[in-house]
Amino acid sequence: MSWQSYVDTNLLGSGLIHAAILGIDGSIWAKSSGIDLKQSECSGIAQGYKNKSFVETGFVVGGKKYMVLKSDDRSVYSKLSTCGAVAVKTKTAILIGIYDDKLTPGVAANVVERLGDYLIDNSC
């Protein structure tokens, strides 16, 4: 399965409004058509995992800065008004899912975390 298929089928197909898959170096591997990701944001996300700095810097995706609620070596949960973003780091990739008020934060986190588990189990 291609990286774009994971975005389209597993992330967007589960109710997220935008999604992307980055390399752990911040390179863009796949993304939904509605998200305007800048390379500086992607590099910042990769750097945030390395420096464990999301709580201090926030989480910026598609020109929007999300307030970080939880951040650890694997996952970042963040919020912006009634929307939110979830990121999960695997061995080789960073998965990003953005949800709106039609999806609960718990369901959105579960969608991204499940795909992360699958990729980790398959050495990705």
Side-chain angles (χ1 to χ4, degrees), residues 108-123:
N110 192 26
V111 165
V112 183
E113 293 281 0
R114 273 194 337 242
L115 180 55
D117 289 340
Y118 171 81
L119 292 174
I120 289 169
D121 289 346
N122 287 280
S123 299

Side-chain angles (χ1 to χ4, degrees), residues 67-88:
M67 179 181 67
V68 174
L69 304 173
K70 174 194 176 282
S71 174
D72 59 32
D73 290 341
R74 173 185 157 123
S75 304
V76 178
Y77 297 171
S78 57
K79 191 94 169 118
L80 176 66
S81 185
T82 60
C83 302
V86 177
V88 173

Side-chain angles (χ1 to χ4, degrees), residues 3-4 6-8 10-12 16-23 26-38 41-42 45 59-62 85-90 93-99 112 115 119:
W3 293 114
Q4 190 63 49
Y6 287 121
V7 167
D8 296 339
N10 297 80
L11 299 174
L12 297 178
L16 297 171
I17 59 169
H18 301 297
I21 299 177
L22 311 177
S27 58
I28 301 170
W29 290 0
K31 66 183 187 80
S32 59
S33 61
I35 189 170
D36 181 24
L37 278 176
K38 295 177 180 40
E41 294 172 345
C42 299
I45 292 167
F59 188 77
V60 180
V61 180
V86 177
V88 173
K89 183 178 175 225
T90 70
I94 300 169
L95 313 175
I96 300 170
I98 299 174
Y99 61 94
V112 183
L115 180 55
L119 292 174

